[in-house]
Amino acid sequence: MNLRRLALSFALAAAFAAAPAAAADNPDAARLSQRLTALDADPQLNTFAAYERLQARQAVNALAEASRRDQPAALYVAERRVSAAESSARAQAMQREIDRLERERAELLVEASRQDAARARAEAERLRLQAQMQAEEAERLRLQSEADAVAMQDVETALKGVAGAQAARLNAAREREAKLAREEAELVTGGKLPSSKRDNRGEVFTLGKGSFGSGKAGLSGDATTSVKTVAAFAQAYASPGVKVEVTAADAKLAQRRAEAVRDALVAGGLAQGKVQVSGRSGKADRTDVVVQHK
């Protein structure tokens, strides 16, 4: 690549040196040479379209040296070559700017997702502490009201309503935190999370049936990407631990598959000490990755 650029640079320099003398007696060649000179002098464009500029310079030189009979055809070719060099330089410069803006946009999206996740974690922690204080206050009220059974029942009814509302708010905060963690994980890795559900164990991701070959313990390429995305989710979600639960026709095969998933999670940035694996025999193959709640 460097040799090609060096050769183009020498060729451009040679063509540029020969152009003024050749175009001196031809107004069209002089006009087109001036356009190329302006393109070469433009600091925003002169690093692009080196090959097209070389072709254009050669076409202008050919126009300056063409006989009267060949002038129309040479002028047509030179006009097109110069226009092509200008268009190509602008297009390449615009593409470089587009690439730069796309990189900045991706970085901003990741940063915004991280900030949203941090705010969601802070809100979840605030609600957890609030729920804990309310639970402690409820216990204090219960102890004070033991002598009066009727009053005790009224207090307990009120507290159940408060606890239910607080639990609903805490669940909503956890759902938002999980949603933001999903978005961050997929942005960072460029992969997609497998299908999931939430139960009392945590966020349960189930790998697709094609994640392992028949009787094989190695993950497919797509499944490896999905598992690494789960690892990114677990880190963004600040999960205390991850459990890999695998069922297969043979218990030893199930265990090897569970260990392959664990290795992919660790490769995705998750600490090995946070991952527990288990494999057991069963009628249907199934691989669950459980990201535990805080």
Side-chain angles (χ1 to χ4, degrees), residues 87-98:
S87 298
S88 181
R90 293 190 187 97
Q92 291 178 24
M94 186 177 296
Q95 185 59 50
R96 175 174 289 183
E97 181 64 13
I98 289 171

Side-chain angles (χ1 to χ4, degrees), residues 24-36:
D25 299 328
N26 189 319
D28 289 324
R31 173 175 55 81
L32 294 174
S33 181
Q34 288 176 355
R35 286 170 61 183
L36 287 175

Side-chain angles (χ1 to χ4, degrees), residues 147-198:
D148 190 341
V150 175
M152 180 62 184
Q153 186 169 357
D154 291 341
V155 169
E156 287 183 348
T157 301
L159 289 174
K160 285 180 181 178
V162 170
Q166 188 64 26
R169 292 176 62 190
L170 182 57
N171 286 335
R174 281 180 172 171
E175 288 177 1
R176 174 168 172 75
E177 182 181 357
K179 177 178 181 295
L180 292 171
R182 287 189 184 94
E183 293 174 354
E184 180 179 346
E186 292 182 347
L187 276 171
V188 169
T189 64
K192 291 291 183 183
L193 287 166
S195 61
S196 66
K197 66 177 182 179
R198 174 178 296 182

Side-chain angles (χ1 to χ4, degrees), residues 252-266:
K252 291 183 179 179
L253 174 61
Q255 184 65 24
R256 291 200 304 273
R257 287 180 174 179
E259 291 170 353
V261 174
R262 178 200 59 199
D263 293 343
L265 289 168
V266 172

